[in-house]
């Protein structure tokens, strides 16, 4: 019983996480349902550090020092429940079970409650950074008891990515808080990717070549847009297909896949009543891309501008698109952080938004220079919305004209830009003096007697639409 930490599930993520622990000097017990995976891992990496391979759950649990710290990295859902069930008979009070998979936060809440009743600490831990991050330092978003964090937190902080000496891992909040924040991280990732794709499409429609667009992204990556996703976009655009000699992007089928975290983000936002239209449009854009019959019908029957245009000034267009991309990105972050704040209130999680921005600065897929600015704005004081932060509001004002030119051009040329349009519509809606919601209230009162409030006096009112159209004050 000497291992500091155990990892169950040795597919790509679990294996790399175990190696990361070992590289940081921990003795790591490893176990996988199918023994061959354990054997493979030890054969390939056993010499990298101190591993204790186990051939049964009993042996695995027995090899751990107490309180036991066990990280589960199996397929989310039934795999996680089955793994927990198999561990339970062997665990003792005070042991800590960490689920590092992409669990739905409601599942995490359920599991946390069940294990708490048995005297165990359950942690739902969001891990972002893919395979490479798991090995060299991911961004880690842990949710669970504060007491349990004292035992597991230091280990997680050691293996997390480092940003200027600060680990990209911090206690997020109780039960589902960590997995919720990871889910929203993925929702923002969907939006970020959609905006980048739209920026590419606008430039491509303006006649820029793939290498020219790649250069533009590389240039943007030296400034305010500096981020992992922009960086890899250049790399994807630079890739030539060996079979055809064309740009790889031109031979990849144009239907985007999804695994569900974007959809979850939007579903929960709908339930909590938080407007995340940029994320929703990003999920729907992937969905549209996959409806091949719908698109075939559209191509056959629908006419309009040709999805191309001739820019007056290429360099000016590139700068406008950069501004549209930056503004949309900021709006997506504002919406995602709003969702986190609302959920935090709803579930009593007490999540520190500056802390979230702190651990997204490195290691994760949405890591970006912008996150340091977001962190410092939230650290400076309460914000009703990220958009109200002084430096952000000023940046959005500066980018406004260019952003609107991109939208006007895209709409005029028939280039779909649902993400950019959602971002600008949200921005204009939240800053409007008056919204046409007043008219909607009138309509609702007309057909459903749903009543309305007035701008000039307190109370609830109804107009007798089907009678003399006089107004009644109801309370
Ligand atoms: P997979 O999601 O492909 O899962 C494979 C692992 O789950 C294997 O170890 C497999 O054991 C185990 N497993 C399954 Br499937 N059903 C099981 C069961 N009923 N009981 C016990 N073990 C079971 O692995 P992954 O891609 O390494 O991802 C692990 C987790 O990390 C997932 O939740 C994923 O969503 C999350 N994640 C992945 C990434 C990424 O970039 N891939 C990033 C961030 C988070 P076997 O060998 O016996 O079949």
């Amino acid at each position: 019983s000497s291992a500091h930490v155990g990892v169950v599930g040795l597919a790509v993520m679990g294996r790399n996480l175990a190696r990361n622990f070992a590289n940081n000097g921990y003795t790591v017990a490893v176990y996988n349902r199918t023994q061959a995976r354990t054997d493979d891992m030890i054969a390939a990496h056993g010499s990298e550090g101190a591993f204790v391979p186990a051939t049964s759950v009993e042996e695995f649990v027995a090899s751990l020092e107490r309180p036991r710290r066990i990280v589960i990295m199996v397929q989310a859902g039934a795999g996680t429940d089955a793994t927990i069930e198999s561990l339970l008979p062997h665990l003792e009070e005070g042991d800590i079970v960490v689920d590092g998979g992409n669990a739905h936060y409601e599942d995490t809440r359920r599991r946390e409650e069940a294990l708490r009743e048995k005297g165990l600490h359950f942690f739902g831990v969001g891990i972002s950074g893919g395979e490479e991050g798991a090995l060299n330092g991911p961004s880690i978003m842990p949710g669970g008891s504060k007491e349990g964090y004292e035992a597991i937190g230091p280990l997680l902080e050691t293996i997390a990515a480092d940003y200027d000496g600060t680990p990209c891992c911090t206690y997020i909040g109780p039960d589902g808080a960590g997995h919720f924040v990871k889910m929203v991280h993925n929702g923002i990732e969907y939006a970020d990717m959609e905006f980048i794709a739209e920026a590419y499409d606008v430039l491509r429609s303006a006649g820029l070549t793939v290498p020219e667009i790649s250069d533009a992204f590389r240039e943007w990556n030296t400034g305010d847009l500096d981020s992992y996703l922009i960086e890899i976009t250049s790399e994807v655009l630079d890739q030539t297909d060996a079979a055809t000699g064309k740009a790889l992007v031109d031979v990849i089928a144009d239907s985007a896949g999804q695994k569900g975290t974007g959809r979850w983000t939007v579903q929960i936002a709908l339930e909590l009543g938080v407007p995340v239209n940029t994320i929703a449009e990003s999920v729907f854009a992937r969905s549209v891309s996959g409806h091949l019959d719908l698109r075939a019908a559209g191509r056959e029957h629908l006419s309009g501008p040709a999805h191309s245009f001739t820019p007056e000034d290429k360099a000016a267009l590139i700068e406008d698109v950069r501004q549209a991309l930056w503004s949309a990105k900021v709006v997506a972050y504002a919406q995602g952080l709003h969702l986190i704040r609302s959920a935090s209130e709803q579930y009593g999680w007490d999540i520190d938004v500056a802390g979230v921005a702190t651990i997204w600065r490195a290691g994760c897929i949405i890591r970006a220079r912008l996150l340091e600015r977001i962190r410092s704005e939230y650290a400076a004081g309460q914000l009703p919305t990220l958009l109200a932060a002084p430096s952000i509001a000023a940046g959005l004002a500066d980018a406004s004209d260019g952003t609107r030119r991109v939208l006007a051009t895209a709409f005029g040329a028939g280039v779909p830009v649902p993400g950019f349009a959602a971002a600008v519509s949200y921005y204009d809606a939240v800053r409007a003096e008056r919204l046409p919601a007043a008219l909607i209230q009138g309509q609702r009162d007309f057909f459903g007697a749903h009543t309305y409030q007035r701008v000039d006096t307190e109370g609830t009112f109804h107009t007798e639409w089907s009678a003399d159209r006089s107004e009644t004050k109801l309370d």
Side-chain angles (χ1 to χ4, degrees):
S1 59
S2 60
H4 301 113
V5 62
V7 177
V8 197
L10 302 175
V12 53
M13 289 296 286
R15 166 186 297 221
N16 281 357
L17 213 61
R19 293 169 64 199
N20 189 345
F21 278 121
N23 290 339
N24 279 285
Y26 295 109
T27 300
V28 190
V30 289
Y31 173 73
N32 190 77
R33 177 183 62 174
T34 307
Q35 163 113 34
R37 245 196 240 277
T38 314
D39 297 343
D40 281 356
M41 177 191 158
I42 294 301
H45 306 291
S47 61
E48 289 174 13
F51 295 104
V52 184
T55 56
S56 69
V57 178
E58 292 87 333
E59 196 189 321
F60 171 72
V61 173
S63 70
L64 287 159
E65 68 176 22
R66 299 212 49 212
R68 301 182 181 91
R69 292 176 279 231
I70 297 175
V71 179
I72 302 176
M73 280 309 275
V74 303
Q75 194 173 74
T80 309
D81 282 320
T83 304
I84 292 172
E85 284 308 312
S86 72
L87 288 166
L88 275 181
H90 311 288
L91 299 181
E92 290 168 275
E93 208 170 309
D95 287 349
I96 299 135
V97 178
V98 171
D99 174 18
N102 266 335
H104 191 287
Y105 78 101
E106 289 285 10
D107 286 336
T108 302
R109 285 167 64 76
R110 166 176 63 76
R111 290 171 184 142
E112 196 275 336
E113 191 182 347
L115 268 67
R116 184 164 16 102
E117 282 166 8
K118 297 182 193 301
L120 301 167
H121 297 289
F122 183 78
F123 267 79
V125 174
I127 299 183
S128 177
E131 297 177 33
E132 203 272 336
L135 179 60
N136 297 316
S139 172
I140 305 183
M141 296 151 251
S145 70
K146 275 224 161 96
E147 195 191 337
Y149 192 74
E150 284 175 18
I152 191 70
L155 279 79
L156 297 178
E157 290 179 15
T158 306
I159 64 159
D162 171 278
Y163 182 94
D164 274 359
T166 305
C168 291
C169 171
T170 191
Y171 178 72
I172 301 284
D175 59 80
H179 273 141
F180 191 92
V181 166
K182 171 60 168 40
M183 175 196 73
V184 176
H185 162 285
N186 286 25
I188 294 172
E189 175 185 311
Y190 271 62
D192 225 344
M193 291 169 73
E194 172 64 20
F195 302 147
I196 291 172
E198 291 178 15
Y200 156 80
D201 199 16
V202 170
L203 294 175
R204 194 84 197 262
S205 305
L208 273 77
T209 64
V210 174
E212 282 175 321
I213 300 170
S214 177
D215 287 344
F217 279 104
R218 225 182 320 277
E219 172 63 29
W220 295 348
N221 206 37
T222 63
D224 241 9
L225 274 176
D226 176 359
S227 66
Y228 173 71
L229 284 170
I230 296 273
E231 179 192 326
I232 66 162
T233 300
S234 288
E235 295 205 22
V236 172
L237 292 175
D238 286 345
Q239 185 74 13
T240 302
D241 175 45
T244 60
K246 294 182 184 171
L248 180 67
V249 70
D250 284 339
V251 298
I252 297 180
D254 62 348
S255 312
Q258 48 181 315
K259 279 190 170 170
T261 41
R263 185 178 69 238
W264 292 351
T265 307
V266 177
Q267 283 171 331
I268 291 153
L270 288 170
E271 277 163 35
L272 294 176
V274 179
V276 295
N277 66 338
T278 57
I279 300 172
E281 287 298 349
S282 307
V283 175
F284 285 134
R286 291 194 192 188
S287 161
V288 167
S289 76
H291 277 279
L292 300 184
D293 291 353
L294 173 68
R295 293 176 58 195
R299 281 197 299 273
E300 187 180 342
H301 299 291
L302 305 179
S303 58
H307 202 136
S308 71
F309 63 100
T310 308
E312 275 172 32
D313 178 343
K314 253 196 212 178
L317 176 73
I318 292 173
E319 173 55 16
D320 283 353
V321 171
R322 188 191 67 80
Q323 295 184 354
L325 182 51
W326 186 84
S327 333
K329 187 181 170 90
V330 168
V331 170
Y333 273 94
Q335 295 180 347
L337 294 173
H338 183 186
L339 181 58
I340 287 173
R341 270 200 4 238
S342 294
S344 178
E345 278 165 31
Q346 170 83 14
Y347 296 105
W349 285 333
D350 198 22
I351 295 176
D352 169 28
V353 176
V356 171
T358 300
I359 62 169
W360 284 352
R361 289 179 302 177
C364 63
I365 304 295
I366 63 171
R367 61 186 184 258
R369 182 182 295 191
L370 176 64
L371 276 156
E372 167 50 21
R373 189 166 352 157
I374 295 176
R375 184 207 59 77
S376 72
E377 290 284 9
Y378 274 96
Q382 284 285 323
L383 288 171
T385 164
L386 172 64
L387 303 187
S391 76
I392 298 287
L396 287 166
D398 287 345
S400 178
D401 289 350
T403 298
R404 288 167 203 282
R405 277 193 296 269
V406 170
L407 276 158
T409 303
F411 279 124
V415 180
V417 283
F420 286 168
V424 171
S425 299
Y426 177 88
Y427 178 80
D428 285 339
V430 299
R431 71 187 188 88
E433 283 300 329
R434 288 277 291 164
L435 286 171
L439 179 56
I440 290 171
Q441 287 296 81
Q443 294 164 335
R444 294 178 69 240
D445 190 57
F446 188 103
F447 66 70
H450 291 303
T451 74
Y452 52 88
Q453 260 84 46
R454 295 181 56 97
V455 296
D456 50 3
T457 170
E458 294 280 301
T460 301
F461 298 87
H462 169 61
T463 290
E464 304 293 343
W465 296 103
S466 51
D468 64 354
R469 306 210 163 181
S470 63
E471 185 178 74
T472 322
K473 185 170 191 290
L474 297 167
D475 60 47

